């Protein structure tokens, strides 16, 4: 009844009960992915039961054949019946495997889809604070375990249990005393196995955790391969990765040994029971209590009894592994969502449109007394921030490390939310806008720009899915990548490998992608940090051209970028220390003078 209640509860969209135990949460997560496919699971289980029942008749038919032969009667009907039950069993098994395979792949897809959505649509700080490789492992390695908990776990358990109950019924109809002794021996075996199987689930869960750590560490090593090799740290990273692999091996071996031990206890015990039943049955035959045909049928049931019992044990172990995987999936699903964006419905009215709705002289972005932190555990990264971004022009953010420059951009992009105060876009508070409405007005280039897996085209069209080849080539030409792409074997359809691309090429590709988006506000985290001097002037020309009609905000670490800005905002300790032109700040602020002297040194001046 408890399981049935949980099944029903899992179908409801209610929030998780804070008082539920970890085991209940894992079970609810597991069932939530199985429930949409319950129809196929039921059909698969039904055909499994049909096949099992058909198989159960074979020993009994064998008994009838032996008795008919003993009495000199025809066995044709029994042989036909034997063929019939075999055909039914084969067909039922085939249908079961197809239907359960279909349902299982649906479960795997649903788990992966849920995790992909959660990772891509979760709050940025909450996603990034987790190990990326471990998150990937949950979507790739844990999803099939949940599938197996359905096909090889739950359904196998049900069909095997049917086989056990059916075998007991048939054996009871043949000889009650022999059945009683058999069940007594099986009870002892079951007690031994019940002590062993839970350990399998625990060991598999620990192995999955170690695999997740291995994936996370290996992914980080690949991303930092140049640094690792330059430091001669291959051995250290190898040792760290292999420690996780060793722990996974250790726990998997422990689970395997426990499974083998359970199998040996079950199989060996059942063989001993069968041998005992053979002797006891022979005695009963000699004393006229049982026919030879009935004894043969009973022994056949006893010999086939082990299969369903082991399936039950395996099913329980697989369900344990599925629950362990469900635990890891549930943990990933704890990543908070970004707001879905359906604010109009929630507020009982229409969401305000921001495009082109403000006067030309009004700022496009405005910060009003903004204080923000990435998490309650950490201190504020900006405090009492008041900042306006004009609709056109180039604004440069400068300041020492930790001053809050990246946090300002994160607030603009809504990666970070104010704890106090508000950010406005075209005079409308971010709280009254969807995430999509905010971000569609921006384009962003990181200091370490990312090359997405795929082709040049794949990397560009994420900014504008319906862009023509002419638009793609124009964006590349603007950042001096047109000729490089033209020289590639397949042009726009050439595969890119981020690890082998120069930093400058990645930076230019990311900038071209941003230009293709045609944003109202272009955010650049030091766009010239990895570009050679020959190309830097051209990039500055692009920035200047965009700034004539739209807003450009840069985090500047090079002197020339700051000097060309229309407005410089000097940040220090999460607050605005001063604003003005480069010349004004250079003449009036000691911190700015110090920063500029360092920038000139870094530029080789």
């Amino acid at each position: 009844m408890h399981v049935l209640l949980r099944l029903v509860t899992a179908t409801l969209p209610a929030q998780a009960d804070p008082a539920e135990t970890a085991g209940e949460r894992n079970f609810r997560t597991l069932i939530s992915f199985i429930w949409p496919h319950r129809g196929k699971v039921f059909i698969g289980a039904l055909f499994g039961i049909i096949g099992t029942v058909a198989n159960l008749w074979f020993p009994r038919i064998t008994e009838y054949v032996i008795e008919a032969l003993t009495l000199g009667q025809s066995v044709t009907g029994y042989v036909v019946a034997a063929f019939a039950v075999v055909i039914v069993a084969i067909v039922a098994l085939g249908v079961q495997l197809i239907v359960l395979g279909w349902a299982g792949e649906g479960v795997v897809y649903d788990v992966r889809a849920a995790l992909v959505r959660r990772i891509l649509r979760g709050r940025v700080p909450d996603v990034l604070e987790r190990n990326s490789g471990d998150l990937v492992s949950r979507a790739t390695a844990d999803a099939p375990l949940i599938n197996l908990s359905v096909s090889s776990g739950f359904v196998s358990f049900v069909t095997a249990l049917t086989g056990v109950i059916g075998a007991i019924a048939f054996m009871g109809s043949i000889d009650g005393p022999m059945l009683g002794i058999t069940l007594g021996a099986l009870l002892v075996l079951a007690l031994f196995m019940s002590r062993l199987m839970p350990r399998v689930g625990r060991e598999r869960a620990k192995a999955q955790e170690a695999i997740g750590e291995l994936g996370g560490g290996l992914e980080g090593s690949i991303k930092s391969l140049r640094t690792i090799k330059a430091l001669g740290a291959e051995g250290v990273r190898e040792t760290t990765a292999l420690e996780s692999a060793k722990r996974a091996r250790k726990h998997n071996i422990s689970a395997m040994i426990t499974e083998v031990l359970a199998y040996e206890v079950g199989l060996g015990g059942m063989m001993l029971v069968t041998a005992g039943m053979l002797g006891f049955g022979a005695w009963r035959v000699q004393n006229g209590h049982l026919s030879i045909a009935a004894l043969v049928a009973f022994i056949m049931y006893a010999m086939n009894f082990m299969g369903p019992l082991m399936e039950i044990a395996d099913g329980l172990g697989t369900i344990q592994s599925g629950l362990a995987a469900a635990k890891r999936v549930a943990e990933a699903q704890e990543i908070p969502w970004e707001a879905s964006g359906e604010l109009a419905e929630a507020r009982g009215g229409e969401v305000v449109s921001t495009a082109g709705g403000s006067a030309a002289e009004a700022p496009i972005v405005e910060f009003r007394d903004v204080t923000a932190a990435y998490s309650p555990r950490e201190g504020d990264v900006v405090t009492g921030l008041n900042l306006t971004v004009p609709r056109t022009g180039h604004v440069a953010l400068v300041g020492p490390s930790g001053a809050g420059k990246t946090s300002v951009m994160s607030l603009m992009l809504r990666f970070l939310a104010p704890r106090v105060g508000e950010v406005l876009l075209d005079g409308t508070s971010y709280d009254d806008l969807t995430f999509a409405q905010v971000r569609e007005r921006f384009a962003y280039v990181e200091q370490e720009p990312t090359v997405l897996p795929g082709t040049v085209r794949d990397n560009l069209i994420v900014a504008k899915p319906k862009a023509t080849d002419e638009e793609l080539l124009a964006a590349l030409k603007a950042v001096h990548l047109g000729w490089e792409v033209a020289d590639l074997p397949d042009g726009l359809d050439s595969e890119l490998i981020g690890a082998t691309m120069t930093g400058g090429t990645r930076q230019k590709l990311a900038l071209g992608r941003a230009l293709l988006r045609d944003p109202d506000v272009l955010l650049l985290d030091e766009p010239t940090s990895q570009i050679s001097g020959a190309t830097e002037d051209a990039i500055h020309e692009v920035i200047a051209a965009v700034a004539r009609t739209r807003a450009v905000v840069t985090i500047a670490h090079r002197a020339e970028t700051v000097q060309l800005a229309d407005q410089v905002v000097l940040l220090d300790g999460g607050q605005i220390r001063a604003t003005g032109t480069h010349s004004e700040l250079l003449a009036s602020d000691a911190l700015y003078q110090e920063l500029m002297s360092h920038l000139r040194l870094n530029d080789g001046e």
Side-chain angles (χ1 to χ4, degrees):
M1 181 62 70
H2 177 74
V3 171
L4 180 60
L5 178 61
R6 284 292 168 189
L7 269 172
V8 175
T9 304
T11 67
L12 303 176
Q15 296 294 323
D17 182 359
E20 72 177 347
T21 65
E24 289 173 331
R25 182 197 63 171
N26 300 341
F27 187 83
R28 179 172 54 80
T29 301
L30 181 66
I31 295 300
S32 70
F33 287 110
I34 297 173
W35 191 253
H37 307 276
R38 60 191 179 277
K40 295 185 184 70
V41 173
F42 174 78
I43 292 172
L46 179 61
F47 275 92
I49 291 171
I50 291 172
T52 299
V53 171
N55 278 325
L56 285 170
W57 275 101
F58 198 85
R60 201 63 194 260
I61 293 173
T62 302
E63 177 188 354
Y64 297 152
V65 169
I66 294 174
E67 288 181 345
L69 290 172
T70 303
L71 298 173
Q73 298 174 349
S74 172
V75 297
T76 303
Y78 298 128
V79 172
V80 171
F83 275 105
V85 297
V86 169
I87 291 172
V88 169
I90 292 173
V91 172
L93 176 61
V95 174
Q96 178 194 30
L97 293 176
I98 291 173
V99 173
L100 288 181
W102 190 358
E105 289 303 318
V107 171
V108 171
Y109 174 81
D110 288 349
V111 173
R112 287 172 175 164
L115 290 177
V116 167
R117 292 189 187 104
R118 184 71 63 162
I119 292 168
L120 294 180
R121 298 182 183 275
R123 291 182 66 248
V124 174
D126 293 278
V127 175
L128 296 183
E129 74 178 6
R130 288 166 166 80
N131 186 304
S132 59
D134 186 51
L135 287 177
V136 171
S137 173
R138 295 174 196 230
T140 54
D142 291 332
L145 290 179
I146 293 180
N147 168 24
L148 288 175
S149 70
V150 181
S151 58
S152 299
F154 172 72
V155 174
S156 292
F157 178 83
V158 170
T159 55
L161 187 61
T162 301
V164 169
I165 294 172
I168 290 173
F170 276 110
M171 292 165 76
S173 68
I174 294 172
D175 192 84
M178 289 183 66
L179 174 63
I181 295 175
T182 302
L183 292 180
L186 289 176
L187 179 61
V188 175
L189 294 178
L191 290 175
F192 275 106
M193 295 180 68
S194 67
R195 304 286 295 179
L196 294 172
M197 295 314 296
R199 182 180 174 186
V200 175
R202 292 193 297 269
E203 293 299 321
R204 294 294 187 201
K206 292 177 182 178
Q208 283 301 114
E209 291 176 3
I211 290 170
E213 292 175 9
L214 171 63
L218 196 56
E219 182 182 35
S221 295
I222 292 172
K223 288 181 178 179
S224 309
L225 191 58
R226 289 189 177 91
T227 300
I228 290 171
K229 287 185 174 295
L231 294 172
E234 297 97 330
V236 174
R237 297 302 300 170
E238 178 182 325
T239 300
T240 301
L242 292 183
E243 280 299 318
S244 298
K246 287 176 182 177
R247 284 193 294 108
R249 179 184 64 182
K250 171 188 171 184
H251 293 302
N252 276 324
I253 289 175
S254 178
M256 178 269 296
I257 291 174
T258 305
E259 287 178 333
V260 170
L261 182 59
Y263 184 83
E264 288 295 308
V265 168
L267 179 61
M270 195 60 214
M271 291 176 68
L272 291 173
V273 170
T274 303
M277 286 301 98
L278 182 60
F280 181 64
W283 178 82
R284 287 183 64 78
V285 169
Q286 289 175 342
N287 286 273
H289 301 300
L290 193 67
S291 69
I292 294 176
L295 176 60
V296 170
F298 193 96
I299 296 301
M300 288 180 69
Y301 280 118
M303 292 179 66
N304 291 328
F305 211 74
M306 193 56 210
L309 284 179
M310 290 309 301
E311 282 188 37
I312 290 175
D314 289 343
L316 291 174
T318 304
I319 290 172
Q320 287 285 337
S321 297
L323 288 171
K327 171 180 178 291
R328 287 166 50 77
V329 171
E331 290 171 351
Q333 288 188 305
E334 291 174 356
I335 297 173
W337 291 105
E338 286 187 336
S340 65
E342 300 301 328
L343 298 181
E345 181 179 345
R347 295 172 184 271
E350 293 185 359
V351 176
V352 179
S353 174
T354 66
S358 300
E361 65 275 6
I364 189 167
V365 180
E366 183 178 0
F367 288 64
R368 293 181 180 174
D369 299 316
V370 171
T371 297
Y374 284 98
S375 75
R377 303 185 301 273
E378 302 173 0
D380 294 329
V381 289
V382 295
T383 307
L385 200 67
N386 289 283
L387 173 67
T388 59
V389 177
R391 306 187 72 79
T392 61
H394 178 191
V395 177
L397 305 178
V398 299
S401 177
K405 304 182 293 295
T406 300
S407 298
V408 169
M409 284 195 175
S410 294
L411 284 160
M412 288 186 191
L413 290 164
R414 218 170 179 179
F415 297 159
L416 180 64
R419 185 172 62 79
V420 178
E422 62 178 347
V423 182
L424 297 90
L425 179 62
D426 275 339
T428 302
S429 173
Y430 274 20
D431 291 337
D432 295 319
L433 300 171
T434 69
F435 280 76
Q437 284 177 311
V438 170
R439 291 173 185 163
E440 69 183 2
R441 308 288 298 282
F442 293 86
Y444 174 52
V445 179
E446 300 176 80
Q447 185 174 5
E448 296 291 337
T450 301
V451 175
L452 302 174
T455 64
V456 177
R457 185 190 304 276
D458 294 332
N459 272 267
L460 294 174
I461 62 172
V462 291
K464 189 176 181 181
K466 296 183 179 180
T468 64
D469 284 5
E470 290 72 18
E471 290 175 308
L472 300 180
L473 292 172
L476 293 171
K477 183 178 179 181
V479 295
H480 288 215
L481 267 182
W483 64 270
E484 291 186 32
V485 172
D487 286 343
L488 292 175
D490 298 311
L492 289 170
D493 295 310
S494 299
E495 291 284 338
L496 294 178
I497 302 176
T500 60
M501 294 175 65
T502 65
T505 301
R506 288 198 300 271
Q507 192 87 356
K508 288 187 286 185
L509 181 63
L511 182 56
R513 181 167 56 207
L515 294 178
L516 185 66
R517 189 170 173 83
D518 193 25
D520 293 321
V521 184
L522 179 61
L523 303 178
L524 307 173
D525 191 348
E526 188 43 72
T528 59
S529 63
Q530 300 185 59
I531 293 177
S532 64
T535 309
E536 185 174 354
D537 290 341
I539 299 301
H540 284 143
E541 289 176 10
V542 171
I543 294 173
V546 174
R548 282 194 287 271
T549 56
R550 284 158 288 181
V552 178
V553 180
T554 62
I555 294 177
H557 295 122
R558 298 184 71 159
E560 186 174 358
T561 305
V562 179
Q563 292 166 2
L564 295 175
D566 300 303
Q567 179 185 3
V568 179
V569 177
L570 177 61
L571 291 160
D572 186 25
Q575 297 178 314
I576 295 178
R577 176 185 172 101
T579 60
T581 65
H582 167 69
S583 300
E584 290 170 347
L585 294 181
L586 193 61
S588 61
D589 192 280
L591 176 60
Y592 189 78
Q593 293 167 5
E594 181 181 354
L595 288 172
M596 286 302 102
S597 66
H598 287 305
L599 291 181
R600 290 193 183 94
L601 288 172
N602 290 337
D603 285 346
E605 297 180 2

